[in-house]
């Protein structure tokens, strides 16, 4: 096993050279300013890289990632990122992005012990418990896993909306929209869960409509065997 990771340094040099070749002066311009319009709050899974998925370059997306894309009001890391993005960078959109096949969500669904991360995944278990009766009624683990990935996005999007940082931004009239999305590892596409909120007064209605749409869709799958 290599101890120096020379292959990564070589790959980095190729990437930098190719980037500069495609866009001369790119790194000089990037050094001068960070002005992204977007904050991506996603999962730490190595298969879910924000810039690549969106087809955007470095500097276009401010990113926060953790296991299972969780946002809780006691996490000063996530809250600091949200505050910096809103107050300093003036982002216009915050996307909470889960992904199908999420291992953290599956562990929460199965109540599976995996180590220290159990304490973090407990936040996803709370989502599972909130919707336990409906999830248990699905009757198929793979489908329930997919549904819980979506429900987790809704709950974490709701948490973003309810942060003091977000509430204060809306109260002073700052234009920031929260979005709940889920990414498909199987096809590389993002699905919009329609949890889209641009004002504090719209949070409850947006959450209710998005939740209803998820449950209606999965109830149809369970009943008819098709989306």
């Amino acid at each position: 096993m290599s101890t120096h990771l020379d292959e990564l340094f070589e790959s980095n040099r190729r990437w930098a050279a190719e980037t500069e070749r495609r866009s001369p002066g790119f790194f000089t311009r990037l050094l001068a300013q960070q002005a992204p319009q977007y904050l991506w709050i996603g999962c730490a899974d190595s298969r879910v890289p924000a810039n690549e998925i969106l087809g955007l370059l470095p500097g276009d997306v401010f990113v926060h990632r953790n296991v299972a894309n969780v946002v809780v009001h006691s996490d000063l890391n996530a809250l600091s990122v949200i505050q910096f993005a809103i107050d300093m960078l003036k982002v216009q959109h915050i996307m909470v992005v889960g992904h199908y096949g999420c291992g953290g969500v599956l562990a929460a669904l199965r109540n599976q012990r995996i180590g220290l991360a159990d304490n973090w995944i407990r936040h996803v278990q709370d989502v599972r418990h909130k919707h336990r009766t409906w999830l248990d009624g699905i009757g198929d683990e793979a489908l329930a896993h997919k549904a819980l990935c979506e429900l987790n996005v809704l709950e974490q999007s709701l948490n973003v909306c309810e942060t003091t940082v977000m509430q204060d931004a809306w109260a002073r009239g700052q234009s920031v929209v929260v979005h709940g999305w889920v990414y498909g590892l199987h096809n590389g596409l993002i699905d919009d869960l329609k949890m889209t909120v641009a004002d504090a007064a719209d949070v409850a209605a947006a959450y209710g409509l998005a939740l209803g749409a998820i449950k209606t869709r999965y109830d149809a799958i369970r009943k008819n065997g098709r989306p």
Side-chain angles (χ1 to χ4, degrees):
M1 181 181 68
S2 171
T3 59
H4 300 292
L5 297 177
D6 292 337
E7 66 276 14
L8 296 187
F9 285 101
E10 178 59 31
S11 179
N12 167 250
R13 285 190 287 268
R14 289 196 303 269
W15 171 77
E18 177 60 22
T19 300
E20 188 67 19
R21 185 193 64 79
R22 289 197 312 266
S23 181
F26 174 80
F27 293 106
T28 302
R29 294 192 300 273
L30 192 64
L31 182 64
Q33 184 179 17
Q34 177 182 214
Q37 296 183 44
Y38 314 105
L39 167 60
W40 171 290
I41 301 175
C43 184
D45 192 299
S46 62
R47 301 167 294 177
V48 192
N51 286 74
E52 287 88 341
I53 288 171
L54 296 173
L56 297 176
L57 294 171
D60 291 335
V61 188
F62 200 54
V63 178
H64 176 75
R65 297 170 69 180
N66 60 53
V67 175
N69 44 273
V70 168
V71 178
V72 289
H73 304 306
S74 58
D75 181 8
L76 294 181
N77 187 355
L79 295 179
S80 296
V81 169
I82 293 170
Q83 186 271 325
F84 191 87
I86 291 175
D87 293 350
M88 304 302 293
L89 299 178
K90 308 298 183 184
V91 299
Q92 298 180 28
H93 301 273
I94 299 176
M95 299 92 75
V96 179
V97 189
H99 68 95
Y100 297 121
C102 181
V105 172
L106 183 60
L109 180 68
R110 291 176 171 174
N111 198 29
Q112 179 182 354
R113 295 292 299 273
I114 60 176
L116 182 63
D118 296 338
N119 301 280
W120 183 253
I121 291 171
R122 177 54 196 259
H123 297 299
V124 187
Q125 285 182 316
D126 290 343
V127 177
R128 179 198 171 207
H129 293 160
K130 181 175 181 178
H131 303 281
R132 179 194 294 274
T133 301
W134 180 75
L135 283 167
D136 289 348
I138 290 179
D140 176 87
E141 185 182 73
L143 201 59
H145 181 202
K146 188 175 180 181
L148 184 54
C149 289
E150 297 184 13
L151 292 173
N152 187 49
V153 168
L154 256 59
E155 297 296 335
Q156 308 312 326
S157 300
L158 179 62
N159 288 345
V160 171
C161 292
E162 292 180 341
T163 62
T164 55
V165 177
M166 193 71 257
Q167 291 286 318
D168 289 347
W170 280 332
R172 63 177 176 261
Q174 188 169 342
S175 179
V176 187
V177 184
V178 177
H179 307 263
W181 295 352
V182 63
Y183 172 69
L185 294 174
H186 61 292
N187 61 9
L189 299 177
I190 296 170
D191 291 331
D192 185 354
L193 297 179
K194 308 300 184 184
M195 176 64 180
T196 306
V197 188
D199 187 87
D202 299 333
V203 174
Y207 174 83
L209 289 172
L211 178 61
I214 288 174
K215 291 188 173 182
T216 297
R217 180 157 38 85
Y218 281 92
D219 287 345
I221 294 172
R222 184 177 57 179
K223 180 179 179 181
N224 303 318
R226 64 180 187 276

